[in-house]
Amino acid sequence: MAKTNTAIALALVTMATGFLAAACEETTQTNNNTATTSPAANSTPAPSDAKGLKIGSLLPSTGDLASVGQQMVGSVPLLVENVNACGGVNGEKVTLTEVDDQTDPKAGAAGMTKLATLDKVAGVVGSFASSVSSAAISIAVPNKVMLVSPGSTSPKFTEQAQKGEFKKNNPNNFWARTAPPDTYQALALAQLAKKKGFKRVSTVVINNDYGVGFEKAFVSAFEKLGGTIINKDKPVRYDPKAQTFDTEASAAFAGKPEAVIAVLYAETGSLFLKSAYTQGLTKGVQIMLTDGVKSPSFPEQVGKGSDGKYIITGAIGTVPGSNGKALEAFNKLWKEKKPGTTPGEYSPQAWDAAALLTLAAQAAKENTGVGIASKIREVANAPGTEVSDVCEGLKLLKEGKDIDYQGASGNVDVDENGDVVGVYDVWTVGDDGKIKVIDQVSPK
């Protein structure tokens, strides 16, 4: 596939922002023709004067969340291809620019700046890491770009939305997400811990918006269920840039907890769990994990012990699940377009995020972030004709009718804070190192 050098264009953004030195690997899709380039200094931005709706994606193909991010990045171009095949939005093809945020707030801010100022996108699917979305939203809002995250679950965003921080003199938020906030997942994990009979647990989390937000929500939920957090007064929060974890592992497993609640990212999380195992700390302690490490490759990342068994065999965890009316059709389309593969975690949420951007633009009859922000809740919620097919939704909107989009991940009913409520899969790691879903819960 062709590569085009536009270092000059990126340099303009660098001068304007002062921090775009961070490289972002990027793929640009324009009207269904894809050109892959890397790094971003040699990438081609979507033409700012292109007709039609321009959207971007800001997702982690590399970095600490790469193993999860790589599972979802295919959803957005698949949605755009599907929409363009049925006539596009507002009579024109949709243009997509994809940026790798590297699971890094600085790279995410650089990528968001490029998408907003050079590519002139109206909406962005992203990011996945809450810390990256925090960096990106500070750029999206003043540039009036609608940001819809398929996986940033920190409760912090709800609090910011309640304060009106995502409006920028606009009646509507420039923020929404298709994965529920961790106040719900933390409750689901707390309920799971109680169901397993655990009364004394400890926590260890990555020290960022995601980890600390989850920790606080879990502590509150588990204590309300009668449980005890034995390291509540001395929480273990590890540096996202750390490479050694002996001290953190010793602290997390101190005090003989029945279970350790580990809110991690895959790359650093694998190192933490290896360290705990090497020190002999994991024996007889239940490891409970979350969505940040739920990927087929994670057990292999952590590795095997001296007995030849996977270190995290028997670990259990939670992850936002998918039970939407569009899920079956989404899975079928994925298999047709990407034979031999299956959608990974958060792929349905990424599909729904992109779908909402296109449907809202059509409802607004304008390809702007302001237009999308004004209509995104309208197309996501009742009243209106329930539609699970995006093309059917676009058709009805063109006819001036109201719709209630039913997504692949769920009903994606977006509330006034940009939040949705979802279900959660309970998963475990088998003796063969394979992850399997064993239950599904709706926190109450």
Side-chain angles (χ1 to χ4, degrees):
M1 289 177 280
K3 295 185 178 181
T4 305
N5 190 317
T6 58
I8 296 176
L10 192 64
L12 293 175
V13 181
T14 304
M15 289 186 289
T17 64
F19 57 76
L20 273 184
C24 297
E25 183 174 320
E26 177 187 286
T27 302
T28 303
Q29 176 175 328
T30 305
N31 298 344
N32 286 337
N33 295 317
T34 304
T36 304
T37 60
S38 69
N42 295 319
S43 66
T44 304
S48 60
D49 59 348
K51 291 183 178 180
L53 175 66
K54 292 185 283 290
I55 66 173
S57 70
L58 189 65
L59 298 169
S61 295
T62 59
D64 210 351
L65 283 174
S67 60
V68 182
Q70 288 170 2
Q71 300 179 80
M72 73 174 77
V73 293
S75 291
V76 184
L78 188 62
L79 184 283
V80 171
E81 179 183 343
N82 191 53
V83 165
N84 284 340
C86 64
V89 172
N90 291 319
E92 299 285 351
K93 299 281 189 179
V94 178
T95 301
L96 170 65
T97 303
E98 294 178 271
V99 173
D100 173 16
D101 65 33
Q102 303 174 34
T103 326
D104 181 85
K106 290 183 180 179
M112 186 68 234
T113 300
K114 176 186 175 299
L115 288 169
T117 62
L118 277 184
D119 301 313
K120 304 291 185 182
V121 300
V124 171
V125 176
S127 180
F128 182 52
S130 293
S131 57
V132 179
S133 284
S134 288
I137 192 65
S138 65
I139 296 161
V141 172
N143 283 285
K144 298 182 179 179
V145 175
M146 183 69 200
L147 192 65
V148 184
S149 170
S152 291
T153 53
S154 172
K156 174 183 176 181
F157 297 108
T158 304
E159 298 168 4
Q160 289 180 279
Q162 290 170 339
K163 296 176 182 177
E165 294 181 16
F166 301 144
K167 292 186 175 181
K168 186 62 177 179
N169 302 319
N170 192 64
N172 303 288
N173 287 319
F174 288 99
W175 163 264
R177 48 185 164 184
T178 51
D182 282 328
T183 44
Y184 296 112
Q185 185 178 183
L187 176 56
L189 194 63
Q191 290 174 341
L192 180 61
K194 182 182 180 182
K195 183 179 179 181
K196 294 290 183 181
F198 302 132
K199 297 179 180 179
R200 299 177 69 256
V201 308
S202 63
T203 61
V204 54
V205 305
I206 186 169
N207 193 11
N208 61 15
D209 291 341
Y210 166 64
V212 175
F214 197 113
E215 173 200 82
K216 292 179 178 178
F218 177 83
V219 168
S220 175
F222 193 60
E223 287 184 335
K224 287 178 181 178
L225 294 173
T228 298
I229 311 295
I230 63 175
N231 67 337
K232 178 181 177 181
D233 294 332
K234 294 183 178 180
V236 180
R237 300 169 179 172
Y238 74 82
D239 184 346
K241 301 295 184 181
Q243 295 298 314
T244 58
F245 297 89
D246 290 352
T247 301
E248 291 86 351
S250 296
F253 283 83
K256 298 181 179 180
E258 297 166 324
V260 171
I261 312 304
V263 185
L264 319 168
Y265 282 175
E267 187 174 303
T268 48
S270 66
L271 298 176
F272 170 85
L273 292 169
K274 283 179 187 176
S275 176
Y277 171 81
T278 301
Q279 295 180 67
L281 303 172
T282 58
K283 188 175 181 179
V285 181
Q286 177 66 60
I287 305 298
M288 300 190 73
L289 303 168
T290 63
D291 54 313
V293 297
K294 169 67 166 60
S295 72
S297 62
F298 187 63
E300 194 69 45
Q301 274 184 281
V302 180
K304 296 180 179 180
S306 56
D307 56 2
K309 295 181 180 179
Y310 286 91
I311 291 173
I312 59 169
T313 297
I316 55 176
T318 53
V319 64
S322 299
N323 66 347
K325 294 181 179 180
L327 183 60
E328 183 177 350
F330 168 70
N331 287 335
K332 181 180 179 182
L333 179 64
W334 185 286
K335 291 176 182 178
E336 289 175 358
K337 298 293 185 179
K338 303 175 184 291
T341 68
T342 56
E345 304 305 328
Y346 290 98
S347 293
Q349 284 83 357
W351 169 275
D352 289 339
L356 289 176
L357 290 176
T358 59
L359 291 168
Q362 183 62 61
K365 292 182 171 53
E366 61 176 80
N367 300 322
T368 67
V370 172
I372 293 173
S374 71
K375 294 294 183 179
I376 196 161
R377 292 191 64 211
E378 185 176 303
V379 298
N381 302 320
T385 302
E386 287 194 359
V387 294
S388 57
D389 181 271
V390 178
C391 287
E392 180 186 356
L394 290 169
K395 179 177 179 292
L396 291 174
L397 290 168
K398 290 173 185 175
E399 295 171 356
K401 298 177 181 177
D402 294 331
I403 67 165
D404 176 8
Y405 175 64
Q406 303 293 303
S409 61
N411 62 23
V412 293
D413 286 348
V414 179
D415 70 14
E416 64 274 11
N417 299 315
D419 291 338
V420 297
V421 178
V423 298
Y424 292 90
D425 290 337
V426 179
W427 55 276
T428 189
V429 180
D431 292 338
D432 57 359
K434 294 187 181 300
I435 291 177
K436 58 182 178 180
V437 173
I438 56 175
D439 199 2
Q440 193 169 70
V441 295
S442 296
K444 298 178 180 178

